[in-house]
Amino acid sequence: MPEMNTKAMYKLSYGLFVCTAVDGEKKNGCIINTAIQVASEPNRISVAVNKANFTHDMIKKTGACNISVISREASFDLFKRFGFQSGRDVNKFDGFAPSSFDTAENGIPFITEGTNAYFSLKVESEVDLGSHTLFICEPTFMTVLSDAPSCTYEFYQSDIKPRPEKVGVTPAGETIWRCRICGYEYVGEDLPDDFICPICKHGKVDFEKITR
Ligand code: FE
């Protein structure tokens, strides 16, 4: 019998998306890897959004969002802008070039640079999944923006994310926890369960233990 190996989780394939929402004057968005067509008749797209994301609360309140499909031409800056900071603290559209996004018919922005398609979604039902809410949505609009191939999570890891920054020389055999999302390294045998990456704000689950 094979042994249990939780690295199997990394063998699942994912796309990457900017999920945007608007509540009153507030425009916001976050990076997700969980937009999936889950039915064809009628066409339904599900998105799972982490409850820690401000965008989550905005979708829950307004019942609408847009999904921009990230392409291989996206820059790391797009991930930093929408993934490594919170809309609770900053306006993620501040300083974002006007040529990088546009506003859809539903009043919600979509990203035009480093993306190849977008969908306007209306929430039809939702499922509480603990860390995330699964929103099952009806697409009210969709269009193609570019012929560039879609960016998978694997491509982000291999070609977009910068090489990990070394934390300096550590004694041989020292344990390091490396953030799989942004490459941040934490030196120490034990990473606290409530540790939050200071760069990209992801939790312990996204750190891998390495030894050098
Ligand atoms: Fe990180």
Side-chain angles (χ1 to χ4, degrees):
M1 278 285 282
E3 266 179 54
M4 168 93 163
N5 184 347
T6 55
K7 285 200 167 65
M9 294 302 292
Y10 299 135
K11 300 299 186 192
L12 293 169
S13 53
Y14 299 95
L16 285 165
F17 315 90
V18 184
C19 177
T20 42
V22 170
D23 181 15
E25 294 293 295
K26 179 74 175 178
K27 283 189 296 215
N28 195 29
C30 64
I31 306 280
I32 63 165
N33 63 347
T34 51
I36 302 167
Q37 184 187 18
V38 286
S40 53
E41 283 297 332
N43 189 5
R44 289 294 178 265
I45 291 177
S46 73
V47 293
V49 185
N50 194 309
K51 290 177 184 173
N53 289 337
F54 189 45
T55 307
H56 169 274
D57 297 1
M58 295 172 67
I59 300 172
K60 218 171 148 66
K61 183 174 168 196
T62 62
C65 64
N66 285 345
I67 297 294
S68 302
V69 182
I70 298 176
S71 79
R72 288 183 173 217
E73 288 174 358
S75 68
F76 186 56
D77 281 344
L78 182 69
F79 292 91
K80 285 201 291 189
R81 174 176 294 279
F82 287 101
F84 292 9
Q85 52 186 355
S86 173
R88 286 193 183 82
D89 312 321
V90 299
N91 177 355
K92 295 187 183 183
F93 286 86
D94 267 357
F96 197 33
S99 58
S100 300
F101 67 101
D102 206 342
T103 303
E105 212 166 276
N106 63 0
I108 300 174
F110 61 96
I111 313 303
T112 54
E113 199 171 289
T115 57
N116 61 16
Y118 87 92
F119 297 81
S120 292
L121 302 180
K122 188 162 142 292
V123 176
E124 192 185 64
S125 60
E126 50 183 77
V127 183
D128 187 335
L129 295 177
S131 63
H132 291 58
T133 298
L134 180 70
F135 297 102
I136 298 166
C137 307
E138 174 194 351
T140 55
F141 184 81
M142 67 187 82
T143 196
V144 172
L145 302 170
S146 144
D147 290 331
S150 299
C151 176
T152 61
Y153 189 67
E154 193 173 20
F155 185 82
Y156 167 79
Q157 287 289 348
S158 62
D159 286 75
I160 294 182
K161 185 178 79 173
R163 296 287 134 237
E165 286 174 37
K166 296 277 182 286
V167 286
V169 180
T170 52
E174 185 151 20
T175 300
I176 289 163
W177 295 82
R178 181 188 291 155
C179 177
R180 288 175 48 82
I181 309 299
C182 73
Y184 174 83
E185 293 185 346
Y186 173 95
V187 180
E189 191 54 39
D190 293 308
L191 186 68
D193 286 342
D194 59 354
F195 190 82
I196 301 291
C197 176
I199 308 295
C200 72
K201 315 296 186 228
H202 279 244
K204 183 176 182 173
V205 66
D206 287 313
F207 278 77
E208 59 185 342
K209 190 177 185 175
I210 53 176
T211 307
R212 345 184 230 266

